[in-house]
């Protein structure tokens, strides 16, 4: 019985050899037949490869994975592209670490840009521990980690940003200039998002505020939360004396304005930014302020802000507001419409825009800065 089995095996081997030798390039097979043959018997790929009619980018996932497992760089590259597109970063990291040495420089560069586009800096960091990356990406990683760097000049990925040591003042055509400042890559990116949104829809009109390119200060900016508010200390703040106001990016906490400094977080929206920007001009919140603040803000009668009157008797055409809900005296606002100063899901309306411009034109913003106003 064993001899019969052995004879059958030898005959099968001979027949298979004859089949391969009679059709060495498998040219007579359609792409679908070639693909099916490879999926059924992966090592056949090496016989079919010279005449294979299907490119990796057109292959099914099953075929792609089959050939990629044979460590074929072009197929491994396409597999990784699809995994990155699907944001499957754990799987991508494993394949990257295994296959990196087999990729061409062009393929590596494309994959690095895909990783950055996904914001997968943990994956980039893991790759950097095993392989040497170019200066462009090592600098990017340092900024992501919030570490000091000497220059952005070799990194196109950091071109939208600047170092405090390489600061350019930019346009002087605006009434006020704002320095946008962050201590890590996430903060820089969010400031850039806010800057682009502001330049598309500047408030209260174009030419009032100019925003700097986001400035990286690394360890010179230290932030924490105090009573829920984001608070930051900036070393060497005199470096930014040229600017009228500073916008600091903390990691978490409620956005707020104190004197000439605004503090935001990556959760701050464009409307949040405009809300806080109005505080630079002395506008008050129209939701109930904290009890501690209400004690002094709402203790006596008078105009407390461009949008706030405190007292028993409202000015003509002013309506009740919620600002002094926790205070001694009632409060009033100049319009019955809901505003951005109360609900940050609401865009700035024309009534408040006109009032803001009146304040700016009269220069009252210099003397009427909000103190510790929050989201």
């Amino acid at each position: 019985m064993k001899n019969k089995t052995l004879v059958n095996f030898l005959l099968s081997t001979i027949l298979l050899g004859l089949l391969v030798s009679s059709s060495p390039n498998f040219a007579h097979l359609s792409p679908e037949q070639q693909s099916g043959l490879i999926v059924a018997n992966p090592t056949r790929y090496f016989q079919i490869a010279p005449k294979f009619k299907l490119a990796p980018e057109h292959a099914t996932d099953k075929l792609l994975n089959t050939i990629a497992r044979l460590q074929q760089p072009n197929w491994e590259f396409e597999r990784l592209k699809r995994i990155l597109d699907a944001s499957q970063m754990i799987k991508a990291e494993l394949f990257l670490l295994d296959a990196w040495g087999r990729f061409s420089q062009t393929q590596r560069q494309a994959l690095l840009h895909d990783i950055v586009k996904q914001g997968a800096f943990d994956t980039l960091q893991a790759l950097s521990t095993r392989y040497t990356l170019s200066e462009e990406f090592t600098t990017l990683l340092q900024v992501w980690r919030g570490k000091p760097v000497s220059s952005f000049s070799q990194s196109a990925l950091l071109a939208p940003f600047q170092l405090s040591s390489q600061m350019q003042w930019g346009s002087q055509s605006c009434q006020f200039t704002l320095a946008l400042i962050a201590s890590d890559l996430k903060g820089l990116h969010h400031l850039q998002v806010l800057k682009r949104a502001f330049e598309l829809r500047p408030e209260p009109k174009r030419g009032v505020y100019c925003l700097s390119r986001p400035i990286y200060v690394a360890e010179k900016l230290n932030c924490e939360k105090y009573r829920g508010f984001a608070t930051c200390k900036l070393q060497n703040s005199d470096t930014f004396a040229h600017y009228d106001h500073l916008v600091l990016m903390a990691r978490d906490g409620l956005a707020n304005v104190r004197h000439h400094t605004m503090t935001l977080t990556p959760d701050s929206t464009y409307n949040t930014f405009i809300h806080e920007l109005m505080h630079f001009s002395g506008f008050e919140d129209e939701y109930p302020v904290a009890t501690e603040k209400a004690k002094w803000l709402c203790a006596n009668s008078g105009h407390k802000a461009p949008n706030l009157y405190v007292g028993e008797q409202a000015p003509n055409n002013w309506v009740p507001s919620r600002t002094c809900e926790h205070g001694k005296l009632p409060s009033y606002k100049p319009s019955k419409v809901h505003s951005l100063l109360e609900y940050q899901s609401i865009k700035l309306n024309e009534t408040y825009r006109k009032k803001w411009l009146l304040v700016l034109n009269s220069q009252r913003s210099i003397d009427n800065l909000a103190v510790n106003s929050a989201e």
Side-chain angles (χ1 to χ4, degrees), residues 124-226:
L124 191 64
Q125 178 68 31
L127 196 59
S128 73
T129 61
R130 188 176 297 186
Y131 300 98
T132 301
L133 303 183
S134 67
E135 184 180 354
E136 178 181 20
F137 292 97
T138 55
T139 301
L140 191 68
L141 275 174
Q142 286 291 93
V143 176
W144 172 66
R145 295 168 58 201
K147 300 298 181 183
V149 295
S150 59
S151 175
F152 285 170
S153 60
Q154 300 303 313
S155 178
L157 296 165
L158 291 169
F161 316 123
Q162 58 183 328
L163 294 169
S164 56
S165 59
Q166 301 171 328
M167 242 183 331
Q168 297 177 358
W169 304 119
S171 173
Q172 302 298 308
S173 60
C174 294
Q175 190 174 349
F176 300 100
T177 55
L178 277 65
L180 307 182
I181 300 169
S183 60
D184 59 29
L185 188 60
K186 185 176 182 179
L188 289 171
H189 277 304
H190 194 64
L191 286 173
Q192 181 67 3
V193 168
L194 294 176
K195 176 178 167 66
R196 286 172 179 163
F198 184 81
E199 288 171 349
L200 287 172
R201 185 160 53 96
E203 295 289 4
K205 69 175 184 177
R206 194 172 302 279
V208 176
Y209 294 100
C210 281
L211 279 54
S212 76
R213 286 165 57 204
I215 304 163
Y216 180 57
V217 295
E219 297 163 332
K220 293 180 181 178
L221 182 65
N222 299 302
C223 301
E224 57 184 16
K225 278 202 301 186
Y226 177 72

Side-chain angles (χ1 to χ4, degrees), residues 335-353:
S335 173
K336 66 180 180 180
V337 301
H338 292 305
S339 78
L340 175 64
L341 290 159
E342 184 176 7
Y343 300 107
Q344 291 178 31
S345 59
I346 297 174
K347 294 180 181 179
L348 181 68
N349 63 50
E350 194 59 32
T351 298
Y352 281 81
R353 184 178 290 110

Side-chain angles (χ1 to χ4, degrees), residues 101-120:
R102 293 188 287 275
F103 292 136
S104 68
Q105 187 59 36
T106 300
Q107 289 172 328
R108 291 178 184 179
Q109 197 73 4
L111 289 170
L112 287 170
H113 280 278
D114 279 353
I115 293 168
V116 171
K117 184 179 178 181
Q118 291 280 355

Side-chain angles (χ1 to χ4, degrees), residues 261-332:
T261 300
M262 180 192 303
T263 308
L264 302 174
T265 74
D267 293 327
S268 299
T269 65
Y270 173 71
N271 277 2
T272 300
F273 174 64
I274 299 301
H275 173 107
E276 301 300 334
L277 197 58
M278 294 182 77
H279 287 318
F280 281 143
S281 296
F283 284 83
E284 259 301 345
D285 294 314
E286 292 181 356
Y287 53 77
V289 299
T291 302
E292 184 178 336
K293 183 175 182 177
K295 284 181 180 178
W296 58 263
L297 181 64
C298 309
N300 49 66
S301 300
H303 282 279
K304 306 294 182 174
N307 64 321
L308 175 64
Y309 178 83
V310 174
E312 297 292 351
Q313 185 64 43
N316 288 337
N317 300 319
W318 284 53
V319 299
S321 74
R322 302 171 63 209
T323 304
C324 290
E325 208 167 273
H326 303 308
K328 178 182 176 181
L329 296 172
S331 57
Y332 301 88

